[in-house]
Amino acid sequence: MNEKWLIEQFKWLHRHPELGMQERATTAFLKDRLREAGVALPETGLETGAIAVISGDPKGPVVGLRADIDALPIPEESGLEYASEHPGVMHACGHDFHAACMLGAALLLKQREKELPGTVKVVFQPAEEIDDGARKVIATGLLDDVQAFYAGHTYPWFEAGTLGIKPGPVMAAADRFAIRIRGKGAHAAHPDLSADVIPAMAAIIQSAQTVVSRNVNPFESAVVSITRAQAGNTWNIIPEEAELEGTARTLNPAVRDAVQARLEAIAVSTARAHGCEAEFEYERGSSAVINDAAACERAAALAREMGFNVAQQMGTLGAEDFSEYLAIAPGAFIRVGTGGGCDAHHPRFTVDPTALYPAARFFAALAERELKRLRDGQ
Ligand code: NI
């Protein structure tokens, strides 16, 4: 394995993007490359995705590396010669880069397998974009013994050669809420005979905007976005029902609880004040990704030794199911500068392939160093 080869694997993955839980060709491709190098692939029972195991000492500590492998339903407009060959599907979040990077790391670790004082488990996770994959992989039980987890993610705002390593929250808890308001329909000319859901809905939308401005400590971060408002279907009938849907994003678990409680109180009480009833539904997605401070310090020290620039990545209230792994063991979600300057999930998103091999070397070295630290009981 060398840099040129690894970039070729990345380009293949980029040409063949697959949506969450459909990553069959991607999985077969990765498994073939790993098998050719003699890397162990225990049976996971998963339809897609894989866990590669490199073990120098089965009695030693266990470190986890994670790549996500799924693509997005976006028609590619990058103009790359290795652009997607699957119409309407694109690796627009760099998961092809993640898969190739951790494939490279796995093969580099395999070359040093005998020297490893423990086991590295490299996770190729399906379905990150549909917020389902991490839970499925973890449910295999194969990661229960992992003592430290690391993942990398492309970052278009840093050039190749820069790693973003920031302690504390780096991605948000992303929750969905829905509010169903029931009133009493009537002829538009007889509002006195109705319990009108429209002013109730309008009042709920307005008041929901005060949750962040009035109930959240200004030093904390939170977002409440109402993204769908529906009621009625014509001009002369007061409708019977209205529906709102949206998302709440938070970094701090206490703020998450508070935002949920406030939204519910506003929905139920405001509807009642308008003579209506509200039903509140709140569905929790991934939790916030909170990087361990000591893990970040160690990763940053290694990155500098290896010649990377280390920057503080900017936080985002986007979501990532890597938080599920950090619930098992501490670690860090590291941003890999891949340039391009076009945001993820955009049809012209690209990554700089020269960032790939150095990132693979970094994660291999990080995993090995973490094994030594854990073996030495530090
Ligand atoms: Ni992503």
Side-chain angles (χ1 to χ4, degrees):
M1 202 242 327
N2 57 29
E3 176 159 19
K4 187 167 166 280
W5 180 87
L6 196 60
I7 290 174
E8 275 165 28
Q9 312 312 300
F10 157 70
K11 289 181 176 173
W12 188 95
L13 291 163
H14 191 83
R15 262 191 230 110
H16 301 93
E18 295 172 297
L19 297 176
M21 297 319 297
Q22 299 170 29
E23 310 94 334
R24 288 188 185 81
T26 305
T27 299
F29 178 84
L30 292 167
K31 281 185 167 175
D32 284 349
R33 301 292 85 76
L34 291 159
R35 253 187 228 115
E36 284 159 14
V39 175
L41 289 162
E43 185 47 57
T44 61
L46 296 167
E47 274 174 64
T48 56
I51 300 175
V53 177
I54 301 107
S55 185
D57 177 4
K59 288 195 221 65
V62 185
V63 168
L65 297 175
R66 176 271 207 165
D68 40 14
I69 63 171
D70 56 324
L72 286 158
I74 296 175
E76 180 158 351
E77 293 172 18
S78 68
L80 292 169
E81 46 93 12
Y82 55 91
S84 168
E85 292 173 9
H86 297 171
V89 185
M90 175 189 179
H91 270 299
C93 197
H95 298 189
D96 48 351
F97 182 95
H98 307 163
C101 173
M102 292 311 179
L103 170 66
L107 300 187
L108 288 168
L109 286 162
K110 180 70 189 170
Q111 292 169 7
R112 296 187 46 77
E113 190 164 34
K114 287 195 191 74
E115 281 101 316
L116 298 180
T119 301
V120 182
K121 296 188 173 177
V122 186
V123 180
F124 296 92
Q125 180 207 304
E128 188 279 324
E129 299 288 0
I130 53 175
D131 195 19
D132 201 22
R135 267 170 275 191
K136 282 202 165 83
V137 172
I138 289 166
T140 63
L142 290 167
L143 302 175
D144 293 353
D145 55 357
V146 175
Q147 292 158 269
F149 271 111
Y150 292 88
H153 200 294
T154 57
Y155 197 61
W157 316 115
F158 294 153
E159 294 307 316
T162 296
L163 296 181
I165 304 175
K166 178 178 174 287
V170 290
M171 300 287 283
D175 303 336
R176 171 192 163 271
F177 60 86
I179 302 166
R180 260 171 292 280
I181 310 159
R182 240 177 296 278
K184 191 164 165 259
H187 192 297
H190 303 140
D192 51 309
L193 301 178
S194 77
D196 192 347
V197 291
I198 303 254
M201 175 169 88
I204 290 171
I205 294 171
Q206 296 280 11
S207 302
Q209 294 313 315
T210 67
V211 172
V212 174
S213 70
R214 303 294 85 190
N215 303 124
V216 175
N217 181 322
F219 283 93
E220 297 283 351
S221 301
V223 161
V224 172
S225 289
I226 292 179
T227 53
R228 186 171 70 83
Q230 251 160 5
N233 47 29
T234 188
W235 66 281
N236 59 356
I237 297 170
I238 295 170
E240 190 108 2
E241 280 184 11
E243 256 183 41
L244 295 170
E245 196 177 4
T247 180
R249 308 279 174 122
T250 52
L251 297 175
N252 172 330
V255 174
R256 188 185 204 181
D257 291 344
V259 167
Q260 177 178 351
R262 284 298 298 147
L263 282 172
E264 175 158 23
I266 285 169
V268 172
S269 315
T270 309
R272 198 167 297 146
H274 287 258
C276 304
E277 295 273 310
E279 197 184 292
F280 183 75
E281 184 189 320
Y282 196 90
E283 200 183 303
R284 291 194 170 205
S286 328
S287 299
V289 175
I290 300 173
N291 280 347
D292 181 70
C296 286
E297 225 172 89
R298 296 190 300 269
L302 174 66
R304 287 194 191 93
E305 274 171 46
M306 294 179 74
F308 287 95
N309 298 316
V310 176
Q312 287 261 311
Q313 80 212 61
M314 281 167 40
T316 157
L317 296 199
E320 240 292 343
D321 64 10
F322 185 62
S323 52
E324 305 279 335
Y325 301 89
L326 294 184
I328 299 175
F333 184 71
I334 294 172
R335 291 290 191 170
V336 179
T338 44
C342 180
D343 208 358
H345 295 216
H346 188 281
R348 285 193 288 280
F349 174 82
T350 56
V351 307
D352 177 351
T354 67
L356 180 59
Y357 193 69
R361 283 187 55 232
F362 170 74
F363 282 103
L366 180 60
E368 182 169 350
R369 190 175 280 196
E370 287 289 89
L371 287 181
K372 288 181 182 142
R373 174 183 67 85
L374 289 161
R375 177 202 58 192
D376 297 343
Q378 287 165 13

